[in-house]
Amino acid sequence: MKVLAMAVVALALSGTAARAADPRYPDWPCTQAKVPEISLAAVWAGPALDDVQNKWKDDAKVSALVAKLSARKTPLDEAEKSVKEFLAASATDKTAKAKLLFAGLFDTLNAQRSQVMAGLERVSRKQRESADKIREETIALHELQGATPRDEAKVEALGNELIWKTRIFEDRHKVVRFVCEVPTTIDQRLFALGRVIQQEME
């Protein structure tokens, strides 16, 4: 790879790593706006949950179902079916069970979402550090190539290292773009399951 091309790549990578959509969250790497927590009002229009907060953990059946429904490997249609079956079997105390179930889902999915977002910001900081190193090494390579006499072994070694680091950076960037969709997917899952729970309570 030519020095000029590498320099352009390094500068482009540096800009990509440093750019933040919202100055309040300088490490947030996604084009989607960062919403730190899901608002309860945005996903739940049912009865107040004040009287069931944390109590869902004390109900073994609810806890087990929350774990299953919260897992992204569980297809949404299967999760919705499980909600309906659970609440149909809870006819005598359906409202109480429904509230416990949604409280558990809200807590669990919000926690999942926070973990994903914290991971994205950690990777973003690493990307910024990587971009700085790539830029510095590109300048160093340029100096080596212009030196007299020119040390071909050092030029080749640093050039190969830069190509390798650039590939790692680009691969990580692709993963970040994919993971940026996860918080939105969690939002949608919680909203969909909340809607089914509310419909089954009516």
Side-chain angles (χ1 to χ4, degrees):
M1 188 184 288
K2 293 181 180 179
V3 171
L4 181 59
M6 294 188 79
V8 169
V9 169
L11 291 172
L13 295 181
S14 173
T16 300
R19 186 170 59 248
D22 188 331
R24 292 175 300 171
Y25 309 113
D27 294 326
W28 182 242
C30 307
T31 55
Q32 300 91 330
K34 180 182 178 183
V35 180
E37 289 189 342
I38 304 171
S39 164
L40 180 61
V43 291
W44 180 251
L49 302 176
D50 299 347
D51 58 333
V52 297
Q53 286 180 346
N54 294 323
K55 291 182 180 178
W56 64 272
K57 296 175 184 176
D58 301 327
D59 187 311
K61 287 186 177 179
V62 169
S63 294
L65 185 56
V66 165
K68 176 185 175 182
L69 301 179
S70 300
R72 291 195 293 278
K73 65 182 180 182
T74 303
L76 186 56
D77 56 350
E78 181 183 325
E80 292 175 342
K81 183 182 177 184
S82 296
V83 168
K84 292 175 182 177
E85 290 173 350
F86 173 73
L87 293 179
S90 310
T92 55
D93 54 353
K94 184 182 283 189
T95 297
K97 292 291 187 183
K99 288 169 65 177
L100 284 172
L101 181 58
F102 187 76
L105 285 169
F106 185 76
D107 288 351
T108 304
L109 288 172
N110 239 333
Q112 276 185 19
R113 192 174 176 277
S114 294
Q115 289 173 354
V116 170
M117 294 171 86
L120 281 165
E121 291 184 321
R122 280 196 302 273
V123 172
S124 176
R125 288 190 288 273
K126 285 183 181 178
Q127 286 289 80
R128 189 156 54 237
E129 291 169 6
S130 296
D132 288 342
K133 287 178 182 176
I134 289 171
R135 190 173 63 249
E136 288 169 6
E137 289 183 10
T138 299
I139 293 169
L141 177 60
H142 181 71
E143 290 173 352
L144 281 175
Q145 287 186 320
T148 305
R150 175 165 153 158
D151 188 329
E152 293 296 344
K154 283 186 178 180
V155 168
E156 184 176 358
L158 185 54
N160 288 336
E161 186 177 343
L162 266 170
I163 291 170
W164 177 245
K165 286 182 178 178
T166 301
R167 283 178 182 161
I168 291 173
F169 185 100
E170 290 171 340
D171 288 344
R172 198 182 287 150
H173 182 63
K174 289 173 186 174
V175 171
V176 165
R177 282 193 302 179
F178 172 76
V179 178
C180 278
E181 300 294 334
V182 174
T184 301
T185 302
I186 292 174
D187 292 350
Q188 293 169 343
R189 188 178 194 84
L190 182 58
F191 179 79
L193 293 175
R195 183 175 55 194
V196 172
I197 292 170
Q198 289 170 83
Q199 288 170 348
E200 293 302 303
M201 288 171 65
E202 294 173 359

